[in-house]
Every structure is written in C-alpha cells, then in structure tokens.
Amino acid sequence: MSQPQSGRGDEPKAVKSTPLPAKVDLSAVNKTVWLVKVPKYLAARWERIPGDLEAGKVKICKSSPTARPTLTLSLSDATMCLTEPGESEIPKEHAFQVGPIHQTLIAFDHTEAPKDDLFPSEPDKVRILGKVSEKLECRPYADSSYMAMKMEEIKRASKPARSVQQLDRVVNNYKPVADHKNNIEYEQRKKAEGKKARDEKDKVLEMLFAAFEKHQYYNVKDLVKITNQPIVSSEIFNSG
C-alpha cells in the first residue's frame, strides 16, 4: 500500500559534499629524517626568521671510530639578532641529546585543498618526508648567557601584574557617596509636604465626587493622591 503524497511538491534538499580522499606522495618513503625537539624560545626565533637566511650550523664530532658521535648546534647571527622589545638574549651554543625510538615514526607534510561546500575542487595533499631514524633533544649549555636568560624569565614571572605608581597630577575619581541625589530630593520633598492630616469626612467626599464626575474608575493610589489623605477609609465609601 503506497503512502499518500503531500501536495507541496518536491522541496530542494541541501547537498552535502563528500570529501575526496587525500593524495599521498610516497616518493620519499625510504628517506631517513631526524626528529628534533627544540626549546620554545628557539622555535619562536625560527618561526620569525626568513627562509633564505641561515638558522644555524650543526657539527658532528667523533672522538674515536667506536665512540658515539656528539652533535652540537651553533645559532647564526640572523637568529641571534631577531629579538623583540622586552625579549632577553638567548644562548648561542646548544647540544643534542640522543633519545631512544621505541616505535616506527613517519614524518609527513599535510596541505589542505581549497574548501567548497558543494563541489570539492581537489583533495588534500599529503607528502611523506621520511622515516625517523634519530630522535634528538636540543638543550642549551648551562653557561652565563643561559643563566642570564633564566634569571630574566624568573624576574618577569615574579613581577606583579599591578604596581604602585606615584602620581604627579590630580586624578578625578568618582568617590562613593552616602546617599544619592534622587534619594535626597525625595526626602526633602517629603519633609516639605509634611504629614498628611486627615480632613473632615464631608470635605473628602466632595473631592471624591468631583473626581468621579470626571472619570468612572480609579485605583486607591490615585484617590490618595487626589484627596491628599493618608488613606481613603472604607467608611467613606460605605457612607456614600
């Protein structure tokens, strides 16, 4: 049994694009690369250095044919000169500590393709850079320049966010007040009016009759304001 069709016609539906599979470049799959961990201050410098300038030089020294080689890094003048205002000097000489590799690591580069919701133009590009053969950690020598840099970092960290400043001119500050202007005016107006004295019953009735000749309905608040009485008694309404 077929289901009833709605009379609204076919409505357009949003088409969601299916992402294309990424293309993987395997031309450098047999190449070996080093995975090097560098300090944060060094990574920040290298992010600012242009690509056509030398970042530093790596020296590999071997004391004997059977000994493990030692690796050192000497930063270039371009890296050392890329200082920002308030930034301290960084050490120039570093050493590499070799670490163990317990698993297979692959380095790759990922480039995203231009995004199009309906029609993807091309897939993302993934390029294998090589297999990690050495895992190194770059550490500075504990010399005078490194100690001076750490001392500056400790001073900046211990410096309070707020400090006392001596003022050489008058600063207009809004001081707290005991009472606001509108409250003072209300109290003064209340004192000027004085206590509402209860008038004679006939006089109040005359004012009420005159008020109801103008309008048919009033609330108690309005009657109190018109008669200037503490409260309009129910006896007056009953007597009317």
Side-chain angles (χ1 to χ4, degrees), residues 42 65 76 126 133 152 159 174 182 193 214:
L42 187 53
S76 64
V126 177
S133 61
E152 288 295 327
K159 188 178 180 180
Y174 295 96
N182 55 347
E193 291 177 357
K214 296 177 182 178

Side-chain angles (χ1 to χ4, degrees), residues 10 20 107 109 119 124 132 168 180 186 198 231:
D10 295 334
L20 297 175
D109 180 37
F119 304 102
D124 295 352
V132 177
D168 55 355
H180 293 283
Y186 174 76
R198 190 177 296 277
I231 190 168

Side-chain angles (χ1 to χ4, degrees), residues 19-208:
L20 297 175
K23 291 183 178 181
V24 182
D25 183 4
L26 301 176
S27 59
V29 69
N30 294 323
K31 185 179 179 182
T32 57
V33 295
W34 289 0
L35 179 63
V36 182
K37 181 181 178 182
V38 299
K40 290 183 179 179
Y41 63 84
L42 187 53
R45 291 289 180 94
W46 281 350
E47 285 180 356
R48 299 197 298 262
I49 192 171
D52 55 346
L53 295 180
E54 184 183 87
K57 290 183 179 180
V58 176
K59 295 180 182 179
I60 303 176
C61 301
K62 203 171 185 181
S63 58
S64 64
T66 57
R68 191 175 182 86
T70 59
L71 293 88
T72 58
L73 170 65
S74 180
L75 300 180
S76 64
D77 294 337
T79 303
M80 298 297 294
C81 293
L82 285 175
T83 57
E84 292 186 345
E87 191 176 25
S88 57
E89 293 291 334
I90 63 174
K92 183 169 181 164
E93 302 297 331
H94 296 72
F96 290 101
Q97 301 290 332
V98 182
I101 300 177
H102 301 291
Q103 57 185 343
T104 302
L105 300 175
I106 300 293
F108 65 92
D109 180 37
H110 179 209
T111 304
E112 292 187 355
K115 298 298 181 182
D116 192 342
D117 294 337
L118 296 179
F119 304 102
S121 57
E122 57 183 6
D124 295 352
K125 295 179 181 179
V126 177
R127 181 168 60 97
I128 300 297
L129 302 178
K131 180 182 178 181
V132 177
S133 61
E134 294 289 345
K135 188 177 179 182
L136 309 172
E137 184 176 354
C138 181
R139 296 180 179 178
Y141 288 107
D143 54 6
S144 58
S145 61
Y146 175 73
M147 293 302 176
M149 183 190 70
K150 296 303 292 183
M151 186 65 69
E152 288 295 327
E153 291 180 358
I154 294 172
K155 287 181 180 179
R156 285 198 299 267
S158 60
K159 188 178 180 180
R162 297 181 179 181
S163 59
V164 179
Q165 297 181 357
Q166 185 176 359
L167 302 177
D168 55 355
R169 56 187 177 83
V170 178
V171 179
N172 294 327
N173 290 330
Y174 295 96
K175 298 180 180 179
V177 294
D179 204 351
H180 293 283
K181 184 180 178 181
N182 55 347
N183 294 337
I184 296 173
E185 291 177 353
Y186 174 76
E187 292 295 334
Q188 290 176 351
R189 188 172 61 252
K190 193 174 178 182
K191 288 180 181 179
E193 291 177 357
K195 276 192 169 184
K196 295 179 180 178
R198 190 177 296 277
D199 292 333
E200 295 292 334
K201 181 179 176 181
D202 295 337
K203 188 176 180 181
V204 177
L205 284 173
E206 288 179 6
M207 290 187 286
L208 289 174

